[in-house]
Each structure stands twice: as C-alpha cells, then as structure tokens.
Amino acid sequence: MPSSVPIRSAVTPSRRDLSAVPDEEIVARVLSGDVEAFAGIVHRYHARCLRYAERMLGDRPDAEDAVQDALVLAYGGLVRYEERARFSAWLFAIVANACRAAARARGTRARLTVLDENATHRAVAPAPSGDIDDGDRLDVALRRLEPSLREAFILRHVEELSYEEMRVATGAGISALKMRVKRACDSLRALLEDR
C-alpha cells in the first residue's frame, strides 16, 4: 500500500468503469499500487453508507463526516481486510464504528451546550402526524430507538445485510442481533401505532 496518498486521489471518480469488478479484485488492485481503483469502492458504497449513517445519526452533516472518516479508515485498513468476510460487511463495520464515535462526540458536545432540556425537546419534537408522511414518521420513530436496536434494524431491513454480515459489522452474536431486530420491530410498531 502506498505510504502517503492524498485522500482526494483515492476518492475522486475514476475514468475507468469498475462497476462489474468484484470488491476483492478492487482491493487487490489498490493494494498493488493502483490507488485510483479505490474510487470504485467509493462509487459502489458511498450512497448506502451515507443512508445508513444518516439514519443512525439523524443529521446529514454528521453522517457525511462519519462516512468520510469511515472511507479514509477503510482505505488505510485495506491491508487488514480478509476475503473470507464479505467486503460490504467489513466496510459497514467501519461505518458503524464511525457512527458510534460521531454519536459519542455529539453527545459530549450536547452535554456541554444544552442548558434547557425542555426547549431542546420541543425543538426536535415531531410535527403533528397530519403534517408528516409515513417515511418521516418512520425516521422519527427510528431516532427514538436505543442505538443498538436502531443499528440492528437498519442493517437488517434497510441495508438488507444477512445476520452473518451483521455479525461481522457489529461484533455482536447472531442470536443477540436477532433479538435486537425483533425488539426494534416491536418498538417501532408501538411507536408508529401511537399517533
């Protein structure tokens, strides 16, 4: 892996079409010195990672920062990627960790700056149900879930990862993940029925 490659060169779109090239081959190309090939990974996964991060964090700028951090870490960590795991699961593990770090940082910032908890709650309270569509209601309900349940639900039902891929992405056991998905579904059902 090249020692110091500007991130811009690693994430700018490539003139080559890598859409049909398997992830593992792109990784091999990058590791053999073709740093421009990493653009194929970015092109393939950026939108999915951003969608996941935005749902996890509830804030577009924080999500963009988390995804950028994750892609930089993924580029630097390609030498540790093991082909026995699916690349998407490996990448989502990095994105999930970046989201957790962003949430912790945001929590620290919030604890330092929030003076009036009631004013904060009113500012982020959902609009009356007549003013928002079902997608917005789901996003509001997702934000009310505890982070581990939200993460499991999004990985399973939005990103459509298998439980094995989720295990790789989160480090949690499959039975724990199944329980989290079930609890998330039960909680979301209750939240969405509570108009």
Side-chain angles (χ1 to χ4, degrees):
M1 166 101 52
S3 58
S4 84
V5 176
I7 295 306
R8 183 180 323 160
S9 70
V11 296
T12 55
S14 175
R15 289 187 174 89
R16 296 173 290 164
D17 181 16
L18 298 172
S19 60
V21 178
D23 294 337
E24 292 74 18
E25 187 177 326
I26 294 173
V27 170
R29 287 182 185 189
V30 174
L31 292 174
S32 67
D34 182 6
V35 297
E36 294 294 323
F38 193 72
I41 295 292
V42 173
H43 180 73
R44 187 170 293 165
Y45 289 104
H46 187 270
R48 282 182 68 191
C49 291
L50 186 58
R51 178 180 60 211
Y52 169 79
E54 193 167 4
R55 285 221 161 124
M56 284 303 297
L57 297 169
D59 180 73
R60 180 75 178 214
D62 284 350
E64 289 170 348
D65 289 346
V67 169
Q68 178 68 21
D69 291 347
L71 290 171
V72 169
L73 289 170
Y75 176 78
L78 284 178
V79 295
R80 292 184 300 279
Y81 167 66
E82 298 174 12
E83 286 189 34
R84 69 174 182 260
R86 224 170 119 198
F87 182 82
S88 61
W90 180 82
L91 180 60
F92 269 99
I94 296 170
V95 175
N97 285 332
C99 288
R100 289 181 199 121
R104 279 191 305 272
R106 184 173 56 201
T108 301
R109 286 193 311 264
R111 282 191 301 274
L112 294 173
T113 59
V114 173
L115 300 176
D116 184 351
E117 291 288 333
N118 290 328
T120 301
H121 179 70
R122 287 190 308 272
V124 298
S129 61
D131 296 344
I132 58 176
D133 65 21
D134 288 339
D136 291 337
R137 289 182 61 234
L138 178 60
D139 285 340
V140 168
L142 275 170
R143 278 182 247 142
R144 293 179 63 191
L145 292 179
E146 69 178 73
S148 65
L149 299 182
R150 182 171 56 241
E151 176 182 69
F153 180 86
I154 293 169
L155 288 173
R156 182 71 181 144
H157 293 294
V158 177
E159 299 308 326
E160 299 179 343
L161 269 62
S162 69
Y163 280 106
E164 177 59 28
E165 292 168 329
M166 290 171 63
R167 184 194 63 75
V168 171
T170 64
I174 291 176
S175 60
L177 289 166
K178 287 180 178 181
M179 183 55 69
R180 288 177 191 173
V181 169
K182 182 188 179 325
R183 286 179 53 211
C185 290
D186 292 346
S187 296
L188 285 171
R189 192 173 297 111
L191 289 167
L192 292 171
E193 288 172 357
D194 183 31
R195 288 183 179 224

